[in-house]
Amino acid sequence: KGEYESSEKIDHVYKNPEIKPSDFKPDLKVISIDTESDKKGNLYCIGIYSNNYKKNFMITNLNLNNTVSCKNEEECLEKFRSEVQKLDPDIITGWNLVSFDLVFLQQLFRKHKIQFDIGRTNDPVRLRIESSFFRSSNADVTGRQVLDAMSLIRDPFIQEAPSIKHAEFDSYTLEDVSNAILGKGKLLKGKKRHDEIISLYESKKQADLQKLSDYNLLDCQLAYEILEKTDIIALAIERTQLTGLQLDKLSASIAAFDSLYIREARKKNLVSPTTRFGQKEERLKGGYVFSSKPGIYHNVLIFDFKSLYPSIIKTFNVDPASYLGKNKGKEKNAIESPNKVYFKNTNGILPDIIARLHEAREKAKKEKRELANYALKIIMNSFWGVLASQNCRFFDFDMASAITSFARETIQLTSKKIEEKGYKVIY
């Protein structure tokens, strides 16, 4: 609630509202878009695909199936913009959508002096293009979320999701990924595909232009169906409801941690430190690696710690608010880590968060809600990585090292106890 303005597209536009959570499972409308052009940047067509819907906006004077004929670029852009606003999607997707199609469309809208406002207000689309492979470009479309299907598939957490982890692809091209996940690919294939697109368009023949329109719409459809088949949107919704982050910010583990932790700290009247950046003075020592004993063995038992790092954080109260540093005298009955740092022997904020997430994960498993189970696993497993990052406001080298030192001690102690019972540890 709070002050709002009305726009011609929507009744309430809040600038700085007071917000509170509600228990709501959204059914989001998704559209997928794709563009085709020549090598000089002259537009041929813009395709849109959604559930029980497909339409292409092509610069042609012929009547084609699933195609709206436009006399020039300007009319094509106007009709495309009008159609997006009429469809009113919650999510816009496509393959390499942000770095390619939206950049291209933004240039065309500017060229023709048309407002590139495909959101729920009159504000234009804003793009942030990243040159680094490791950082995703993103787009702000007011009232809608832009989720680039290629960026989502590249997310290492997504790649371990139950619906996708067995798929193997040689590259992140739409052709490779769609063949691996959907068992089908693009209409035009190969390295000379773009020359064929130009040839089809320039021939001006009905059959050729129809093939180009079908090709463009299939590209839209493949990106849409990849997200649908892998349940990535549903997984993103589960994650956003757990962390409070927007759908297009889910890969930001530090922001997710902050969102969960700072709220709980505030309830305890604790002020969180300001974000600061500092170089690690030395490398963190990782987990214990035991040299395997080669051979052929019968009756091998395999044991695996369930969520080892989250369990350690919970068991030994490893927590920024409980951290005492290397001075044991500050607190009676303090918990000592193998690397000789100390934590208060009380229930900390992070262990309580993990306990709640663990309960929620067990409940999701019992109810066979695979996506919720995996979303909870992602969040819990990211906590150590966040605390070990110098970009995190709570980073402390000794505190992060305490977690790995407890892990090494736990593995070695377990190995010792098994051998005391007369068994041989081979790995």
Side-chain angles (χ1 to χ4, degrees):
K1 61 185 182 181
E3 289 183 19
Y4 63 86
E5 297 168 4
S6 295
S7 79
E8 59 196 70
K9 298 178 187 173
I10 203 158
D11 296 336
H12 290 50
V13 180
Y14 290 94
K15 293 295 180 188
N16 189 21
E18 182 186 324
I19 58 172
K20 64 179 183 180
S22 69
D23 192 18
F24 173 65
K25 281 280 181 189
D27 182 17
L28 302 179
K29 184 173 186 177
V30 182
I31 67 165
S32 176
I33 67 175
D34 186 50
T35 61
E36 299 301 339
S37 62
D38 67 13
K39 290 174 182 175
K40 293 175 184 173
N42 296 305
L43 180 66
Y44 291 164
C45 58
I46 312 170
I48 307 177
Y49 183 91
S50 189
N51 186 31
N52 296 319
Y53 172 96
K54 58 181 174 182
K55 196 177 281 186
N56 207 324
F57 299 85
M58 182 179 278
I59 301 167
T60 179
N61 56 3
L62 299 177
N63 290 324
L64 307 168
N65 294 334
N66 304 310
T67 304
V68 175
S69 299
C70 307
K71 58 179 182 285
N72 52 36
E73 276 187 349
E74 196 170 349
E75 186 183 357
C76 189
L77 295 172
E78 292 274 19
K79 285 186 173 177
F80 162 73
R81 183 181 73 159
S82 175
E83 190 72 6
V84 172
Q85 290 167 356
K86 191 169 88 180
L87 287 167
D88 194 27
D90 301 296
I91 291 173
I92 300 173
T93 192
W95 201 260
N96 198 19
L97 172 69
V98 180
S99 297
F100 182 78
D101 297 282
L102 290 184
V103 168
F104 175 52
L105 286 171
Q106 188 182 59
Q107 289 165 352
L108 287 176
F109 273 92
R110 281 176 182 161
K111 173 183 160 187
H112 293 285
K113 297 182 170 57
I114 305 168
Q115 182 85 327
F116 189 22
D117 56 341
I118 56 172
R120 287 180 170 139
T121 68
N122 296 329
D123 295 322
V125 174
R126 290 197 308 269
L127 302 178
R128 283 187 297 283
I129 306 303
E130 297 285 354
S131 55
S132 167
F133 175 83
F134 299 101
R135 290 165 68 180
S136 297
S137 298
N138 55 46
D140 284 340
V141 177
T142 315
R144 315 192 200 284
Q145 292 284 288
V146 176
L147 299 182
D148 194 315
M150 186 176 81
S151 295
L152 287 170
I153 290 289
R154 257 175 31 187
D155 184 331
F157 284 126
I158 296 284
Q159 287 180 13
E160 284 301 308
S163 58
I164 194 176
K165 69 177 179 183
H166 298 301
E168 291 181 13
F169 20 87
D170 298 326
S171 73
Y172 290 110
T173 61
L174 181 57
E175 174 70 8
D176 279 352
V177 176
S178 61
N179 272 307
I181 292 173
L182 304 173
K184 61 182 180 182
K186 294 158 77 81
L187 199 59
L188 305 177
K189 303 175 192 293
K191 290 180 180 175
K192 295 194 174 176
R193 185 176 67 252
H194 205 251
D195 292 335
E196 196 175 344
I197 288 167
I198 294 168
S199 174
L200 288 171
Y201 186 76
E202 289 182 348
S203 84
K204 305 297 179 188
K205 293 177 184 172
Q206 180 120 8
D208 287 348
L209 290 175
Q210 186 63 63
K211 187 176 181 180
L212 177 59
S213 180
D214 292 345
Y215 166 78
N216 184 229
L217 286 172
L218 181 60
D219 276 9
C220 299
Q221 183 179 341
L222 292 173
Y224 182 96
E225 288 183 355
I226 285 167
L227 296 190
E228 199 173 46
K229 178 86 182 280
T230 55
D231 280 329
I232 284 176
I233 301 288
L235 176 59
I237 291 168
E238 289 282 356
R239 285 171 72 184
T240 197
Q241 292 195 319
L242 287 163
T243 62
L245 293 183
Q246 287 174 204
L247 285 170
D248 61 347
K249 304 283 192 292
L250 286 175
S251 57
S253 300
I254 292 172
F257 184 90
D258 279 355
S259 178
L260 288 166
Y261 194 93
I262 292 172
R263 262 180 282 155
E264 294 304 315
R266 200 173 281 156
K267 287 176 191 173
K268 296 179 186 287
N269 293 323
L270 293 173
V271 178
S272 297
T274 313
T275 306
R276 64 192 188 285
F277 181 84
Q279 292 291 341
K280 289 180 195 171
E281 290 168 16
E282 52 186 307
R283 281 174 66 98
L284 280 166
K285 195 173 176 187
Y288 170 65
V289 180
F290 176 87
S291 297
S292 59
K293 295 175 181 174
I296 296 169
Y297 301 91
H298 296 285
N299 306 319
V300 177
L301 291 176
I302 297 174
F303 296 94
D304 183 23
F305 282 98
K306 190 184 203 172
S307 304
L308 180 59
Y309 280 11
S311 298
I312 283 167
I313 291 168
K314 185 166 164 277
T315 303
F316 301 108
N317 199 36
V318 178
D319 177 54
S322 305
Y323 180 53
L324 297 169
K326 292 204 168 188
N327 187 351
K328 189 182 177 183
K330 283 185 183 175
E331 191 89 19
K332 195 179 177 185
N333 300 322
I335 297 166
E336 182 187 312
S337 71
N339 68 326
K340 298 289 184 282
V341 298
Y342 301 89
F343 300 90
K344 291 178 186 175
N345 201 343
T346 55
N347 278 357
I349 294 169
L350 189 52
D352 281 352
I353 292 171
I354 286 173
R356 280 206 316 275
L357 294 176
H358 179 75
E359 279 174 30
R361 192 177 172 204
E362 291 305 307
K363 187 169 182 278
K365 281 183 184 174
K366 280 180 189 166
E367 294 169 359
K368 294 189 165 59
R369 291 185 294 121
E370 268 300 311
L371 288 171
N373 170 29
Y374 184 66
L376 287 155
K377 179 184 176 181
I378 289 172
I379 293 162
M380 286 168 68
N381 286 347
S382 72
F383 287 162
W384 177 76
V386 167
L387 289 175
S389 168
Q390 67 267 41
N391 296 333
C392 174
R393 72 181 72 231
F394 301 105
F395 171 73
D396 181 280
F397 180 87
D398 292 324
M399 180 171 63
S401 298
I403 300 169
T404 52
S405 69
F406 272 126
R408 287 193 301 277
E409 187 180 66
T410 305
I411 297 279
Q412 286 166 301
L413 180 63
T414 307
S415 176
K416 184 182 166 192
K417 290 293 175 188
I418 287 168
E419 289 186 328
E420 280 175 9
K421 290 182 177 290
Y423 301 103
K424 186 178 183 183
V425 175
I426 57 171
Y427 184 61

